[in-house]
Amino acid sequence: MTMQTSTPQKVNSPKLKTYHANGPQTGDNISRQTLFWLLLTNIAVLSPLFDKTTPWTLGICAICLLWRMGIYVGKVAKPPRYLVTSLAVGAAITLALVSGEIGLLNALVNLLILGYALKYIEMRSVRDVRAVVIVGYFLIALTFIDHQSMLNTVHLMGVTIINTCVLVTLYQSKHNWQHTAWISAKLLLQSLPLALLLFLVLPRFAPLWLVPNMKEAQTGLSETLAVGDISKLTRSSALAFRVSFTDASPIQAELYWRALVLEDYDGQTWRQDTGIKQIQKDAFFFPPSRPTPARQFTPLTQQETNNPQPVYHYQVIAEPSHQSWLYGLDVAYSQDDKVVNLPDYRLYALRNVDQRMGYNASSWPKAKMDLTLSAKQRQINLKLPADSNPRTLKLATEFKAKYPEPKQRLWAMMGYFNHEPFFYTLTPPPIGRQQIDDFLFENKAGFCAHYASAFIFLARATGLPARMVTGYQGGEYNPQADYLSVYQYMAHAWAEVWLENEGWVRFDPTAMVAPNRIEQGFDAEFSPEQSYLQESPFSSLRFKTMPWLNELRQRFASLDYYWSLWVLGFNQERQNKVLSGILGDVTKTKVAVFMSVCISLIGLYIAYSVGLFRFKREQDPISAKYQRICQRLSKFGINRPAHLGPNAFAEQLIDTHQQQSPEFCREFDTLTQSYVALKYQQLADRDYQAALKRFNAAARALNWRLFGPSKQLK
């Protein structure tokens, strides 16, 4: 065995690539480890934006990814610049032409994604890598703005770590992937205190601008309703909103969540009246005023009736629907600045609900709606399409003749659905142009929209103003966090009829045909596998029939609910409450001092963690392991002189102990050779990893041999 007797020195050859203290310079070759992390980053960053990409954008991204994988395995060369430039110009022109269809903001997002993909495929230097990473951070932030659920936030934190790993490999390319991931995660953790401080202290300003239309697909109910629309929603397991009540909550049969009022019927489709649509359009600049229903119940009135009127206070967290209507129980009223109270007793958001939105509301179930009805409103809600449904008109005439008193007549109509052989189904048979006639006298099978439409038509035909109300009925209770979840499949339609001295009164003919649907919920009437689970094979709602899995599902849902409540719902009021608990009286001076102290502490910690305040320079991990083994040898009487290099010390030790401890000498020789290679030789990445693996294995073996009270080498 030949050993070096002198301490090796670092060799600086002009032919060898060197790493400077400030990292790789522009023009350096990109390491394979960096290319590997870039492959992962490209997939991780773009995958959450799949729903934003157009088909041609997705196709170009896939081509770029496949081409980069070919470059990574050495099968193809980098594309010429003119090809990349041509693709970029062509894609930009195409997006400009279709921006009117997909929306300006969607077009800009696609342009950024294309720029990211094309830069990714043509990068040639470290500077290009940095540009790709920076654009990746922009795309991550864009995804977070659009999807702020807890699960998505955790996912994006993982994507951020992967994106940061690319930067880490530019400066530490010889470490394994576990070390790279740890350094990236450590950098992210060090940034969290500053992020939390800014989240706590920065004021909650309303947006100063309106973003361009994203042209998102609307979710849930719409301002028009054909008889089959709600039955389509029953195949959706998507969450619509969640509700937590301050005190007691209503029973299942009273959970009618009002969303839309439809008054215009042309014989085929129900629509909102043009008047209320104009009020909605002008609500941002001219919010309508509607008095709170609490005015109907003064303390004196309640004492006279000796019957305190119930009131429900609750908070709603609405899921993104890209629509403006909100949800509330009758009669709902909200004092939130971002919510207006419409004249038809609905809640309406000033901006489309493009992100999760929380708001507070109160409901007075015994309050009356519109005790007086204007001539225009009466005309709107009595209008019937001309020359339609003659058989239904004849039936209405019979009801009016037999029951002249309005309320008695309405309940007789309700009883008609109970006595006749009507059937409640999600898949009703088709109906012709005379919808109501076909439903009442031919098919006698339908969904809630069929029953509500027929009831309203009958009421109007007898001279009673009536209208359609759509929303949701019911809710799934989560005992883990004490809130209700309302899903799209719970969409429902019912009727409201105006009565003298009572105002608008709710009538739900569905309750006469399928009472279990109203009293016990949707699942009591329909099989989930034939409705909302039919097109959702991976929905977590499939676990509802398995107790322990359902409990686990609700626990995860509770975590996401608390995230929405405490983080996304951290408004100005809660911010002031938290700051008051920390600072007492909140003043600008106290906030400035608090921020200065926190930022100083964070800066000191980061400075210490990077070694700025360490007067005694710490050894790198490789040297520390080697020195630790040399120190443990001293208890066996083997001391390394300070002037003796690693190879000379190993040669001396092996000559002395080869006969009595051959295994120990072999392991120490492996340790020394690996240590010298790692510290003093210019190794390629693959050779560096192999030498590091041999060094760590030899260090573990020697530590085990030198462990214990024995004074003899093993």
Side-chain angles (χ1 to χ4, degrees):
M1 176 188 327
T2 303
M3 293 273 191
Q4 270 184 297
T5 57
S6 60
T7 303
Q9 302 296 323
K10 291 184 180 180
V11 179
N12 294 321
S13 171
K15 297 181 180 180
L16 295 176
K17 175 182 170 184
T18 59
Y19 287 84
H20 301 275
N22 59 351
Q25 304 302 302
T26 302
D28 290 342
N29 292 327
I30 304 171
S31 69
R32 284 186 60 80
Q33 191 180 16
T34 300
L35 293 175
F36 168 75
W37 281 107
L38 277 169
L39 288 174
L40 296 181
T41 300
N42 187 261
I43 299 173
V45 169
L46 294 181
S47 58
L49 293 167
F50 177 80
D51 59 334
K52 299 287 186 299
T53 56
T54 59
W56 53 88
T57 300
L58 188 62
I60 293 176
C61 290
I63 292 172
C64 292
L65 177 62
L66 292 174
W67 201 318
R68 177 51 68 179
M69 291 178 66
I71 296 173
Y72 179 75
V73 298
K75 298 296 184 182
V76 296
K78 294 176 181 176
R81 289 189 183 274
Y82 74 85
L83 176 61
V84 177
T85 303
S86 301
L87 283 173
V89 173
I93 293 174
T94 305
L95 287 173
L97 293 175
V98 301
S99 61
E101 298 177 11
I102 66 175
L104 177 59
L105 189 55
N106 256 340
L108 294 175
V109 170
N110 275 268
L111 187 62
L112 183 60
I113 292 173
L114 283 171
Y116 177 77
L118 293 172
K119 186 66 178 178
Y120 172 73
I121 196 176
E122 67 95 28
M123 60 185 180
R124 287 171 168 81
S125 66
V126 171
R127 182 179 62 183
D128 295 332
V129 175
R130 293 194 185 103
V132 169
V133 172
I134 291 173
V135 176
Y137 285 129
F138 274 101
L139 291 173
I140 292 170
L142 181 66
T143 307
F144 178 74
I145 290 173
D146 196 44
H147 303 286
Q148 297 184 358
S149 67
M150 187 190 70
L151 183 62
N152 190 71
T153 302
V154 174
H155 172 230
L156 289 180
M157 289 181 68
V159 175
T160 305
I161 291 174
I162 295 174
N163 199 47
T164 308
C165 284
V166 179
L167 285 179
V168 174
T169 58
L170 294 180
Y171 300 92
Q172 298 186 8
S173 63
K174 294 188 176 182
H175 290 286
N176 56 28
W177 69 269
Q178 295 97 327
H179 179 80
T180 301
W182 163 243
I183 293 297
S184 179
K186 185 177 179 181
L187 291 173
L188 185 63
L189 289 173
Q190 288 177 342
S191 67
L192 285 181
L194 181 59
L196 291 173
L197 175 65
L198 296 177
F199 175 79
L200 178 65
V201 174
L202 287 183
R204 263 59 183 168
F205 292 121
L208 301 179
W209 62 86
L210 292 175
V211 298
N213 185 13
M214 284 288 285
K215 294 286 185 181
E216 295 282 3
Q218 294 183 338
T219 304
L221 302 167
S222 68
E223 61 185 14
T224 62
L225 175 69
V227 290
D229 288 349
I230 288 186
S231 63
K232 294 176 183 176
L233 282 181
T234 61
R235 294 193 291 272
S236 173
S237 61
L239 181 66
F241 58 95
R242 288 175 289 197
V243 187
S244 59
F245 287 88
T246 303
D247 300 311
S249 61
I251 61 175
Q252 183 78 209
E254 296 177 358
L255 293 174
Y256 281 83
W257 304 100
R258 189 187 196 88
L260 283 160
V261 175
L262 310 176
E263 299 172 298
D264 184 12
Y265 181 57
D266 61 4
Q268 304 295 321
T269 305
W270 287 92
R271 294 181 175 86
Q272 283 188 296
D273 179 63
T274 54
I276 196 66
K277 289 175 69 174
Q278 187 62 43
I279 292 175
Q280 291 175 178
K281 184 178 179 180
D282 299 338
F284 185 83
F285 299 101
F286 307 103
S289 60
R290 169 165 62 89
T292 172
R295 289 188 177 182
Q296 297 184 23
F297 305 108
T298 63
L300 180 61
T301 303
Q302 296 199 37
Q303 288 177 6
E304 291 175 351
T305 60
N306 196 26
N307 182 23
Q309 300 301 320
V311 57
Y312 299 113
H313 304 286
Y314 49 93
Q315 182 180 38
V316 179
I317 299 177
E319 294 295 305
S321 63
H322 310 292
Q323 300 164 331
S324 294
W325 40 84
L326 301 175
Y327 320 100
L329 300 173
D330 290 335
V331 173
Y333 191 87
S334 176
Q335 295 182 340
D336 279 19
D337 295 336
K338 54 196 173 186
V339 179
V340 294
N341 302 277
L342 292 176
D344 57 359
Y345 298 90
R346 294 185 297 122
L347 303 180
Y348 192 78
L350 290 175
R351 292 187 175 91
N352 284 352
V353 185
D354 295 325
Q355 300 175 0
R356 282 187 179 175
M357 174 183 173
Y359 59 93
N360 295 306
S362 300
S363 291
W364 287 261
K366 300 297 183 181
K368 300 183 185 301
M369 296 183 285
D370 290 342
L371 287 174
T372 59
L373 197 64
S374 67
K376 183 179 180 180
Q377 283 296 106
R378 183 181 294 273
Q379 180 185 3
I380 291 172
N381 291 283
L382 284 173
K383 181 181 176 181
L384 290 174
D387 301 324
S388 69
N389 304 295
R391 298 170 68 182
T392 305
L393 290 173
K394 181 180 178 182
L395 178 64
T397 304
E398 294 174 0
F399 272 116
K400 186 174 183 180
K402 189 173 182 179
Y403 304 99
E405 199 277 321
K407 204 163 188 179
Q408 187 182 22
R409 183 191 319 153
L410 290 169
W411 280 110
M413 293 177 186
M414 291 282 283
Y416 177 80
F417 292 104
N418 181 260
H419 302 319
E420 294 294 319
F422 285 96
F423 184 64
Y424 195 58
T425 176
L426 297 178
T427 56
I431 52 179
R433 292 190 57 82
Q434 304 294 341
Q435 290 185 348
I436 309 300
D437 279 359
D438 288 352
F439 168 66
L440 287 178
F441 303 103
E442 302 295 337
N443 299 335
K444 294 194 175 183
F447 197 57
C448 59
H450 295 81
Y451 291 97
S453 295
F455 184 85
I456 296 168
F457 194 98
L458 284 169
R460 288 186 176 186
T462 63
L464 298 177
R467 61 190 185 183
M468 172 88 73
V469 182
T470 62
Y472 300 86
Q473 200 284 321
E476 180 194 28
Y477 179 65
N478 187 321
Q480 309 298 332
D482 191 27
Y483 69 89
L484 288 173
S485 296
V486 181
Y487 298 92
Q488 293 295 344
Y489 68 83
M490 297 177 180
H492 194 57
W494 59 93
E496 281 186 345
V497 182
W498 190 86
L499 297 174
E500 196 74 34
N501 298 323
E502 294 189 46
W504 291 105
V505 180
R506 180 174 69 234
F507 288 88
D508 188 0
T510 298
M512 307 305 292
V513 183
N516 289 340
R517 163 67 181 89
I518 306 302
E519 296 173 2
Q520 301 178 33
F522 186 91
D523 289 341
E525 188 69 26
F526 300 109
S527 168
E529 287 74 19
Q530 296 176 352
S531 53
Y532 58 87
L533 294 183
Q534 187 176 3
E535 299 177 1
S536 305
F538 303 108
S539 173
S540 61
L541 293 175
R542 290 187 176 273
F543 301 142
K544 290 175 70 172
T545 57
M546 294 173 275
W548 70 274
L549 284 177
N550 186 54
E551 182 179 355
L552 186 63
R553 175 185 70 89
Q554 291 192 329
R555 287 189 182 276
F556 277 113
S558 300
L559 292 176
D560 186 67
Y561 171 75
Y562 287 131
W563 169 266
S564 301
L565 192 64
W566 295 336
V567 179
L568 303 184
F570 192 74
N571 52 23
Q572 187 72 45
E573 180 182 352
R574 292 191 177 184
Q575 183 186 44
N576 292 336
K577 186 176 180 180
V578 172
L579 289 176
S580 298
I582 298 174
L583 304 176
D585 293 333
V586 180
T587 63
K588 293 181 180 179
T589 303
K590 286 186 177 181
V591 172
V593 171
F594 176 68
M595 286 191 66
S596 300
V597 171
C598 291
I599 291 175
S600 299
L601 292 175
I602 294 171
L604 289 173
Y605 170 74
I606 294 176
Y608 174 79
S609 66
V610 298
L612 294 181
F613 295 154
R614 293 177 181 172
F615 300 101
K616 182 180 178 181
R617 187 175 179 179
E618 287 189 356
Q619 293 177 320
D620 63 273
I622 296 173
S623 297
K625 285 184 180 180
Y626 179 79
Q627 294 296 340
R628 195 178 302 118
I629 290 174
C630 291
Q631 291 171 3
R632 288 186 175 180
L633 285 172
S634 61
K635 74 175 184 178
F636 297 92
I638 303 172
N639 297 302
R640 177 192 169 194
H643 66 278
L644 208 58
N647 283 333
F649 178 60
E651 184 178 1
Q652 184 184 86
L653 186 146
I654 291 171
D655 289 342
T656 306
H657 298 88
Q658 177 67 36
Q659 296 297 325
Q660 62 180 19
S661 304
E663 285 297 318
F664 167 78
C665 292
R666 182 184 61 79
E667 292 166 356
F668 193 80
D669 180 58
T670 301
L671 178 81
T672 303
Q673 295 300 323
S674 303
Y675 174 70
V676 170
L678 293 169
K679 293 293 293 181
Y680 303 108
Q681 295 179 14
Q682 193 72 32
L683 301 175
D685 291 350
R686 184 176 299 177
D687 296 334
Y688 184 92
Q689 293 295 332
L692 182 62
K693 186 176 181 180
R694 290 194 301 272
F695 175 81
N696 288 329
R700 285 193 299 269
L702 287 170
N703 278 321
W704 179 254
R705 286 184 180 276
L706 300 175
F707 179 76
S710 173
K711 300 299 181 182
Q712 298 294 325
L713 291 176
K714 304 173 185 177

